[in-house]
Amino acid sequence: MPTAARRSSPVVAIDGPSGAGKSSVSRGVAKALGYRYLDTGAMYRAVTWWMLRHDVDIHDAAQVAAHAALPQIETGTNPANPTITVDGLDVSGPIRGRDVTAAVSPVAAVPAVRARLVEIQRQAIGNGDIVVEGRDIGSVVVPDAELKVYLTAAPEARAARRTAELSDPAIAADEVSLHTTLHTTKESLLHRDSIDSSRSTSPLTRAEGAVEVDSTDMSLNEVVEHVVALFRSRVSAGATS
Ligand code: C5P
């Protein structure tokens, strides 16, 4: 895989497990810094959506690899309005469905899929001024990112946040359904984390030089402020001194 191109402006890399709040934090940080934003998870989801739509057996790595070059993925980088299309179709809704969520980790483990998406990601990153979120941004996509954050949270907190995002009011009002949903969501997050962390190509890992931020007991605003403060002390201060 080619190495990252030289840039003139900073990149903030935010990696971490599912449900740690990467998307909300990354968008908040991008808005605060006036930066662009790239959601690489959405790209893996978009490829997965395409594979399911074209009846590719997602558990057959050779079949997934043979189709890896076909989906045409385009992603917008405006943090106020992130967009993602496959073959010109807006898939921002469908890629969040349960079927895609259940299938994405095996697809993302296929090296041919990763090589293709990393290339598109590096093109989108271009000269920098961007916050990029994913699993391998600080370790593989932009190993020389000016700020690398590894965002974590306890599994219970991650499941609670995901459930709140997904839940309809009927589930939230019923204690037994809420408990079942929380349990299923937690199991699904942990299952995805285990595939993402154990794959041989670009596993989820805390990159060298990454600052670990545990968001379990922090509000979204607190995490955004914390990351922006890290950026100001490590990157903007460094640029002017
Ligand atoms: O971030 P999100 O939960 O949308 O990511 C969906 C999946 O995409 C992850 O579980 C992981 O399998 C894959 N992914 C990845 N590398 C990235 C971003 C996401 O493997 N940089």
Side-chain angles (χ1 to χ4, degrees):
M1 212 176 275
T3 51
R6 285 195 73 80
R7 300 179 310 272
S8 52
S9 298
V11 171
V12 178
I14 302 194
D15 291 301
S18 311
K22 292 187 302 294
S23 295
S24 312
V25 169
S26 302
R27 288 175 69 179
V29 171
K31 284 182 195 164
L33 297 176
Y35 274 17
R36 297 177 299 132
Y37 158 72
L38 185 65
D39 176 0
T40 63
M43 301 171 78
Y44 287 94
R45 287 172 178 272
V47 169
T48 304
W49 176 87
W50 187 98
M51 297 283 168
L52 293 176
R53 201 162 202 231
H54 290 82
D55 290 326
V56 174
D57 177 358
I58 56 114
H59 296 292
D60 180 341
Q63 224 192 100
V64 171
H67 292 84
L70 300 182
Q72 295 305 310
I73 311 286
E74 305 249 348
T75 172
T77 55
N78 176 354
N81 179 31
T83 54
I84 177 113
T85 64
V86 183
D87 300 342
L89 271 176
D90 174 7
V91 291
S92 46
I95 61 167
R96 306 289 160 195
R98 272 171 208 259
D99 51 344
V100 171
T101 301
V104 64
S105 288
V107 172
V110 175
V113 170
R114 304 203 70 81
R116 169 123 195 278
L117 291 188
V118 168
E119 199 183 315
I120 301 174
Q121 288 158 16
R122 287 188 179 147
Q123 273 167 17
I125 291 163
N127 258 336
D129 279 341
I130 191 165
V131 180
V132 189
E133 64 146 306
R135 303 290 188 291
D136 61 340
I137 309 307
S139 56
V140 173
V141 181
V142 199
D144 60 348
E146 282 71 8
L147 176 63
K148 300 182 195 180
V149 172
Y150 189 71
L151 188 63
T152 61
E156 290 69 25
R158 297 197 271 129
R161 286 176 195 160
R162 267 290 144 90
T163 304
E165 274 166 26
L166 305 173
S167 282
D168 59 54
I171 292 180
D174 172 14
E175 222 171 278
V176 177
S177 314
L178 186 60
H179 183 77
T180 312
T181 311
L182 269 174
H183 181 74
T184 322
T185 307
K186 184 172 146 191
E187 294 302 304
S188 144
L189 288 177
L190 293 179
H191 181 60
R192 214 139 54 88
D193 288 352
S194 119
I195 302 178
D196 292 344
S197 310
S198 61
R199 68 183 174 221
S200 48
T201 308
S202 313
L204 165 67
T205 177
R206 179 178 158 178
E208 208 186 312
V211 183
E212 184 159 342
V213 176
D214 182 341
S215 71
T216 307
D217 297 317
M218 294 168 87
S219 70
L220 170 61
N221 276 347
E222 284 170 338
V223 183
V224 170
E225 276 169 22
H226 183 62
V227 175
V228 169
L230 284 172
F231 180 88
R232 303 247 186 256
S233 66
R234 293 172 174 234
V235 183
S236 13
T240 51
S241 62

